[in-house]
Amino acid sequence: MSLTDVELDIGGMTCASCATRVERKLNRLDGVDATVNYATEKARVRARGGVDAATLIAAVKAAGYTARVPAPPRPQGEDAPVARDDEADALRRRLSISTVLAVPVVVLSMVPALQFTNWQWLALMLAAPVAVWGAWPFHRAAWVNARHGATTMDTLISVGVIAAFGWSLYALFFGSAGMPGMRMTFLFVGDPGSGASEIYLEVASAVTVFILAGRYAEARAKRESGAALKALLELGAKDAVILRDGAEIRVAIGQLVVGDRFVVRPGEKIPTDGLVVEGASAVDASMLTGESVPVEVSAGDRVVGATLNVGGRLVAEVTRVGADTELARIGRLVEEAQTGKARAQRLADRVSAIFVPVVIALAVVTFAGWLIFGGSVTVAFTAAIATLIVACPCALGLATPTALMVGTGRGSQLGILIRGPQVLEQTRRVDTIVLDKTGTVTTGVMGVASVASFTELVDDEVLRIAAAVEVGSEHPVARAVVRSAAERGLALAAADSFHSAPGGGVTAAVDGLLVRVGRRDWLSADGSVELPPAVAAAAAEEEAIGRTVVLVAWEGRIRGLISVSDTVKPTSAAAVRRFRELGLTPVLLTGDNAGSAAAIGEIVGIADVRAGITPAGKLAVIHDLQAAGRVVAMVGDGVNDAAALAAADLGIAMGAGTDAAIAASDVTVMSGDLLAVGDAIRLARSTLDTIKGNLFWAFAYNVLAIPVAMLGLLNPLIAGAAMALSSVFVVGNSLRLRRFRPLRPSLVVAN
């Protein structure tokens, strides 16, 4: 029986447990294997014949959520409509209005000197919209969960807000709290019946605002969850120059078809995958392959869309377009890796699944117990409502967002961006760190590694003459030679009669000499330059460790050798030592050859070096390490790293890299310094420890106060005060993260 892959957009999920519920509902269908990703709000379903999309959508709706088949992609060049009211914008408006209304309520309730006659009715007018409209998303989600026999964080929030607001209404309309001259008082040991004279509007308002703030931050992160694929698509060229009847015509990239011939000039992006039919050039493919050295291409060679032509003019024939291109394939790798990432359920949600039903049951037991043992209805209700309010999740809701806010705020000052609390849990478990070479361990910029003279000339003289010739070339190797001469302060002579042989080298007249600089096979091809065994051996030795070699010759003799390679960042070795101190085993991955990779590994102190790795190969290495029981962090900066970054347990992108790599990662280090990755892991671990401490104390305050409330010794106002105290502690504990310091203060980029 055939299998069908279906993707669904899921709506209405508010926490990781919602995703689990949808996933279970789908997997109960015969012949269905489904995974649901809360972060991307997508379900990937593999179904046997007979199960169609309509059946899957109906199952999701039966669980209390919405589902739809994603709309087909729009034609390239056509702008997608902008959503007028997405989730983050709606929450921002709700948060802003609720904050404006809640602040006066809190101030009036907590400062007796401001409590004028009948102030409580103004507080009610301000608090009512917050408790009803502001907290409506939580009430709605709690109702949906209740219909399906489940409780989550939304249940805690909704019950707490309704309890505080409902009791306030009771006290105002049926108790004595509505009388003129009423004042709020703070008694740590209350009269069991005194609750009828107190209101808790500030509790309902403050809880709503705090939780809305956390949900808004989460919604903003979710809105950007598709940024990786968008960044990938934006890498490609927007149009192409094609040949039609001998004329060059510029067309939109979406109009290309297999068999078209297109022209790419120096400095332009190659529009799509193709086969070179005319011309020769150097192509910078580092964004896709990780290779630091541009690849020489000529007739018969394959070129890949989105790579950069840095040499001569090329004419190529289109071989693949649209979804079949290499760029699109990498995009699919990123999407699949994101969908397959372990779903980290928030600690508060896991605990609340048990905590909320227990608290509600205790409140019912309290009410019944007081009645059974002779208490009045007012006393019984006061004790029951105090039990509910003391369990109100203000500190619980603050535990994660405040620590995350302070931790990420401090991180932003240090150039470290952490995506969310689910990322922090992984930093504690990581035991292996995989490093991409180009742009991560190395600079990704070619530089002169060595200069050797084979005559009486000094090395600097060989470099000076070669640079004078290379000034006229735009090839990356030429730029490296010229830059090295400038760094050494060498004065370059003027060059005449410049000529470039694409893929071979360059020729020019310098100081009356006809100088040739290029590859050894090009220099010796016509027999005019002798290639001594010593020169050949030196060149082969340099090439064996992955360096690009150019020879300098004039008057029929090889005068010198210049080797060019990617350069190791000065702090990479120290960073590797720091990773080991953090308990991480480093692994080096690169698309370069084995010689180059081994040399880099030796310099920085990494024994496990894997060379010749393709983008798909990097993803396979991550999966192999995970299958072996490793918890893997991946550090990279290129498009070719995006899928591996998304698949790793912890993806860390260097900020100097591509948007696709950054969007696919969990942590972004804006500095190009690998040392900052160690600081990022330390900060993430410290933030996680703070969150766990906050959660413990948030529950401890409430759990210790529940028995007191059940005995009727804690009126709802004191319950609110206890909750406020737990909130103060949580905020204060989170603020300690502001004292986090990098091991090297110079990494601070903002204050």
Side-chain angles (χ1 to χ4, degrees), residues 102-127:
V103 168
V105 177
V106 174
V107 172
L108 284 171
S109 301
M110 306 305 287
V111 183
L114 299 178
Q115 293 171 2
F116 54 86
T117 303
N118 292 323
W119 69 272
Q120 65 271 40
W121 297 104
L122 174 62
L124 175 62
M125 292 174 60
L126 295 173

mmCIF file of all heavy atoms in Angstrom, residues 102-127:
data_model
loop_
_atom_site.group_PDB
_atom_site.id
_atom_site.type_symbol
_atom_site.label_atom_id
_atom_site.label_comp_id
_atom_site.label_asym_id
_atom_site.label_seq_id
_atom_site.Cartn_x
_atom_site.Cartn_y
_atom_site.Cartn_z
ATOM 1 N N ALA A 102 -3.548 48.206 34.282
ATOM 2 C CA ALA A 102 -3.187 47.480 35.507
ATOM 3 C C ALA A 102 -2.314 48.292 36.450
ATOM 4 O O ALA A 102 -2.424 48.146 37.675
ATOM 5 C CB ALA A 102 -2.491 46.173 35.147
ATOM 6 N N VAL A 103 -1.430 49.123 35.913
ATOM 7 C CA VAL A 103 -0.500 49.861 36.777
ATOM 8 C C VAL A 103 -1.226 50.696 37.829
ATOM 9 O O VAL A 103 -0.888 50.645 39.027
ATOM 10 C CB VAL A 103 0.455 50.723 35.931
ATOM 11 C CG1 VAL A 103 1.224 51.703 36.818
ATOM 12 C CG2 VAL A 103 1.429 49.837 35.165
ATOM 13 N N PRO A 104 -2.273 51.500 37.490
ATOM 14 C CA PRO A 104 -2.981 52.259 38.528
ATOM 15 C C PRO A 104 -3.637 51.358 39.573
ATOM 16 O O PRO A 104 -3.689 51.713 40.757
ATOM 17 C CB PRO A 104 -4.035 53.047 37.740
ATOM 18 C CG PRO A 104 -3.517 53.101 36.340
ATOM 19 C CD PRO A 104 -2.794 51.822 36.136
ATOM 20 N N VAL A 105 -4.121 50.190 39.148
ATOM 21 C CA VAL A 105 -4.754 49.268 40.090
ATOM 22 C C VAL A 105 -3.743 48.785 41.129
ATOM 23 O O VAL A 105 -4.014 48.770 42.338
ATOM 24 C CB VAL A 105 -5.376 48.076 39.343
ATOM 25 C CG1 VAL A 105 -5.969 47.069 40.333
ATOM 26 C CG2 VAL A 105 -6.443 48.543 38.371
ATOM 27 N N VAL A 106 -2.576 48.406 40.660
ATOM 28 C CA VAL A 106 -1.540 47.913 41.564
ATOM 29 C C VAL A 106 -1.088 49.018 42.513
ATOM 30 O O VAL A 106 -0.940 48.810 43.725
ATOM 31 C CB VAL A 106 -0.349 47.354 40.758
ATOM 32 C CG1 VAL A 106 0.801 46.984 41.692
ATOM 33 C CG2 VAL A 106 -0.788 46.143 39.937
ATOM 34 N N VAL A 107 -0.877 50.216 41.973
ATOM 35 C CA VAL A 107 -0.418 51.333 42.808
ATOM 36 C C VAL A 107 -1.457 51.681 43.870
ATOM 37 O O VAL A 107 -1.138 51.849 45.058
ATOM 38 C CB VAL A 107 -0.096 52.563 41.923
ATOM 39 C CG1 VAL A 107 0.200 53.780 42.799
ATOM 40 C CG2 VAL A 107 1.087 52.270 41.013
ATOM 41 N N LEU A 108 -2.716 51.793 43.482
ATOM 42 C CA LEU A 108 -3.772 52.111 44.439
ATOM 43 C C LEU A 108 -3.894 51.038 45.521
ATOM 44 O O LEU A 108 -4.102 51.341 46.709
ATOM 45 C CB LEU A 108 -5.111 52.264 43.717
ATOM 46 C CG LEU A 108 -5.334 53.562 42.931
ATOM 47 C CD1 LEU A 108 -6.613 53.461 42.105
ATOM 48 C CD2 LEU A 108 -5.415 54.759 43.874
ATOM 49 N N SER A 109 -3.761 49.782 45.116
ATOM 50 C CA SER A 109 -3.954 48.684 46.065
ATOM 51 C C SER A 109 -2.806 48.555 47.052
ATOM 52 O O SER A 109 -3.014 48.126 48.196
ATOM 53 C CB SER A 109 -4.130 47.364 45.301
ATOM 54 O OG SER A 109 -5.231 47.429 44.432
ATOM 55 N N MET A 110 -1.600 48.912 46.635
ATOM 56 C CA MET A 110 -0.429 48.693 47.464
ATOM 57 C C MET A 110 0.035 49.927 48.227
ATOM 58 O O MET A 110 0.913 49.826 49.087
ATOM 59 C CB MET A 110 0.721 48.177 46.579
ATOM 60 C CG MET A 110 0.361 46.946 45.751
ATOM 61 S SD MET A 110 -0.275 45.559 46.743
ATOM 62 C CE MET A 110 1.226 45.009 47.538
ATOM 63 N N VAL A 111 -0.521 51.103 47.927
ATOM 64 C CA VAL A 111 -0.114 52.340 48.614
ATOM 65 C C VAL A 111 -1.338 52.925 49.316
ATOM 66 O O VAL A 111 -2.155 53.629 48.697
ATOM 67 C CB VAL A 111 0.479 53.362 47.621
ATOM 68 C CG1 VAL A 111 0.957 54.606 48.376
ATOM 69 C CG2 VAL A 111 1.618 52.739 46.821
ATOM 70 N N PRO A 112 -1.521 52.668 50.627
ATOM 71 C CA PRO A 112 -2.717 53.142 51.346
ATOM 72 C C PRO A 112 -2.926 54.648 51.269
ATOM 73 O O PRO A 112 -4.073 55.114 51.251
ATOM 74 C CB PRO A 112 -2.445 52.688 52.782
ATOM 75 C CG PRO A 112 -1.530 51.513 52.637
ATOM 76 C CD PRO A 112 -0.656 51.828 51.463
ATOM 77 N N ALA A 113 -1.835 55.421 51.191
ATOM 78 C CA ALA A 113 -1.974 56.877 51.168
ATOM 79 C C ALA A 113 -2.719 57.364 49.936
ATOM 80 O O ALA A 113 -3.274 58.470 49.927
ATOM 81 C CB ALA A 113 -0.595 57.528 51.235
ATOM 82 N N LEU A 114 -2.760 56.563 48.889
ATOM 83 C CA LEU A 114 -3.426 56.961 47.647
ATOM 84 C C LEU A 114 -4.871 56.481 47.576
ATOM 85 O O LEU A 114 -5.560 56.746 46.591
ATOM 86 C CB LEU A 114 -2.648 56.416 46.438
ATOM 87 C CG LEU A 114 -1.200 56.892 46.280
ATOM 88 C CD1 LEU A 114 -0.554 56.225 45.069
ATOM 89 C CD2 LEU A 114 -1.153 58.409 46.137
ATOM 90 N N GLN A 115 -5.315 55.774 48.605
ATOM 91 C CA GLN A 115 -6.653 55.171 48.558
ATOM 92 C C GLN A 115 -7.717 56.187 48.991
ATOM 93 O O GLN A 115 -8.112 56.260 50.156
ATOM 94 C CB GLN A 115 -6.671 53.915 49.435
ATOM 95 C CG GLN A 115 -5.792 52.805 48.895
ATOM 96 C CD GLN A 115 -5.636 51.633 49.853
ATOM 97 O OE1 GLN A 115 -6.229 51.627 50.937
ATOM 98 N NE2 GLN A 115 -4.843 50.648 49.451
ATOM 99 N N PHE A 116 -8.223 56.947 48.024
ATOM 100 C CA PHE A 116 -9.256 57.943 48.292
ATOM 101 C C PHE A 116 -10.608 57.243 48.472
ATOM 102 O O PHE A 116 -10.741 56.032 48.259
ATOM 103 C CB PHE A 116 -9.321 58.957 47.147
ATOM 104 C CG PHE A 116 -9.504 58.316 45.798
ATOM 105 C CD1 PHE A 116 -10.775 58.003 45.323
ATOM 106 C CD2 PHE A 116 -8.385 58.017 44.994
ATOM 107 C CE1 PHE A 116 -10.949 57.419 44.087
ATOM 108 C CE2 PHE A 116 -8.558 57.425 43.753
ATOM 109 C CZ PHE A 116 -9.836 57.125 43.299
ATOM 110 N N THR A 117 -11.610 58.001 48.840
ATOM 111 C CA THR A 117 -12.947 57.440 49.063
ATOM 112 C C THR A 117 -13.481 56.803 47.774
ATOM 113 O O THR A 117 -13.448 57.415 46.700
ATOM 114 C CB THR A 117 -13.915 58.542 49.532
ATOM 115 O OG1 THR A 117 -13.387 59.138 50.714
ATOM 116 C CG2 THR A 117 -15.300 57.963 49.809
ATOM 117 N N ASN A 118 -13.940 55.576 47.911
ATOM 118 C CA ASN A 118 -14.491 54.797 46.782
ATOM 119 C C ASN A 118 -13.453 54.477 45.705
ATOM 120 O O ASN A 118 -13.806 54.216 44.551
ATOM 121 C CB ASN A 118 -15.683 55.518 46.144
ATOM 122 C CG ASN A 118 -16.884 55.558 47.067
ATOM 123 O OD1 ASN A 118 -17.147 54.594 47.799
ATOM 124 N ND2 ASN A 118 -17.602 56.679 47.058
ATOM 125 N N TRP A 119 -12.189 54.485 46.066
ATOM 126 C CA TRP A 119 -11.134 54.136 45.098
ATOM 127 C C TRP A 119 -11.315 52.729 44.539
ATOM 128 O O TRP A 119 -10.908 52.431 43.405
ATOM 129 C CB TRP A 119 -9.761 54.245 45.765
ATOM 130 C CG TRP A 119 -9.535 53.181 46.823
ATOM 131 C CD1 TRP A 119 -9.859 53.257 48.135
ATOM 132 C CD2 TRP A 119 -8.973 51.878 46.609
ATOM 133 N NE1 TRP A 119 -9.532 52.088 48.793
ATOM 134 C CE2 TRP A 119 -8.988 51.224 47.863
ATOM 135 C CE3 TRP A 119 -8.471 51.198 45.502
ATOM 136 C CZ2 TRP A 119 -8.507 49.924 48.042
ATOM 137 C CZ3 TRP A 119 -7.989 49.906 45.674
ATOM 138 C CH2 TRP A 119 -8.011 49.289 46.933
ATOM 139 N N GLN A 120 -11.919 51.836 45.354
ATOM 140 C CA GLN A 120 -12.060 50.442 44.939
ATOM 141 C C GLN A 120 -12.915 50.293 43.684
ATOM 142 O O GLN A 120 -12.714 49.370 42.893
ATOM 143 C CB GLN A 120 -12.616 49.586 46.081
ATOM 144 C CG GLN A 120 -14.026 49.931 46.525
ATOM 145 C CD GLN A 120 -14.054 50.979 47.615
ATOM 146 O OE1 GLN A 120 -13.284 51.923 47.576
ATOM 147 N NE2 GLN A 120 -14.947 50.807 48.593
ATOM 148 N N TRP A 121 -13.874 51.212 43.498
ATOM 149 C CA TRP A 121 -14.727 51.112 42.309
ATOM 150 C C TRP A 121 -13.979 51.550 41.051
ATOM 151 O O TRP A 121 -14.193 50.996 39.968
ATOM 152 C CB TRP A 121 -15.988 51.943 42.501
ATOM 153 C CG TRP A 121 -16.807 51.430 43.651
ATOM 154 C CD1 TRP A 121 -16.923 51.965 44.887
ATOM 155 C CD2 TRP A 121 -17.579 50.228 43.650
ATOM 156 N NE1 TRP A 121 -17.731 51.187 45.688
ATOM 157 C CE2 TRP A 121 -18.159 50.107 44.939
ATOM 158 C CE3 TRP A 121 -17.853 49.247 42.697
ATOM 159 C CZ2 TRP A 121 -18.977 49.036 45.293
ATOM 160 C CZ3 TRP A 121 -18.685 48.191 43.046
ATOM 161 C CH2 TRP A 121 -19.227 48.094 44.330
ATOM 162 N N LEU A 122 -13.080 52.530 41.195
ATOM 163 C CA LEU A 122 -12.208 52.884 40.067
ATOM 164 C C LEU A 122 -11.288 51.713 39.728
ATOM 165 O O LEU A 122 -11.083 51.383 38.547
ATOM 166 C CB LEU A 122 -11.381 54.127 40.405
ATOM 167 C CG LEU A 122 -10.311 54.514 39.362
ATOM 168 C CD1 LEU A 122 -10.966 54.841 38.019
ATOM 169 C CD2 LEU A 122 -9.475 55.699 39.860
ATOM 170 N N ALA A 123 -10.763 51.069 40.780
ATOM 171 C CA ALA A 123 -9.901 49.904 40.548
ATOM 172 C C ALA A 123 -10.655 48.804 39.819
ATOM 173 O O ALA A 123 -10.114 48.135 38.925
ATOM 174 C CB ALA A 123 -9.349 49.394 41.878
ATOM 175 N N LEU A 124 -11.936 48.612 40.188
ATOM 176 C CA LEU A 124 -12.741 47.592 39.507
ATOM 177 C C LEU A 124 -12.922 47.937 38.032
ATOM 178 O O LEU A 124 -12.804 47.064 37.160
ATOM 179 C CB LEU A 124 -14.100 47.465 40.192
ATOM 180 C CG LEU A 124 -15.097 46.520 39.516
ATOM 181 C CD1 LEU A 124 -14.548 45.099 39.503
ATOM 182 C CD2 LEU A 124 -16.457 46.572 40.223
ATOM 183 N N MET A 125 -13.206 49.208 37.743
ATOM 184 C CA MET A 125 -13.403 49.623 36.346
ATOM 185 C C MET A 125 -12.143 49.391 35.514
ATOM 186 O O MET A 125 -12.218 49.006 34.341
ATOM 187 C CB MET A 125 -13.797 51.099 36.297
ATOM 188 C CG MET A 125 -15.181 51.399 36.868
ATOM 189 S SD MET A 125 -15.500 53.183 36.924
ATOM 190 C CE MET A 125 -15.348 53.590 35.183
ATOM 191 N N LEU A 126 -10.988 49.621 36.127
ATOM 192 C CA LEU A 126 -9.734 49.436 35.398
ATOM 193 C C LEU A 126 -9.350 47.963 35.292
ATOM 194 O O LEU A 126 -8.805 47.513 34.274
ATOM 195 C CB LEU A 126 -8.609 50.209 36.091
ATOM 196 C CG LEU A 126 -8.745 51.744 36.117
ATOM 197 C CD1 LEU A 126 -7.646 52.354 36.974
ATOM 198 C CD2 LEU A 126 -8.677 52.306 34.693
ATOM 199 N N ALA A 127 -9.605 47.196 36.355
ATOM 200 C CA ALA A 127 -9.162 45.802 36.387
ATOM 201 C C ALA A 127 -10.052 44.875 35.577
ATOM 202 O O ALA A 127 -9.589 43.858 35.056
ATOM 203 C CB ALA A 127 -9.092 45.313 37.835
#
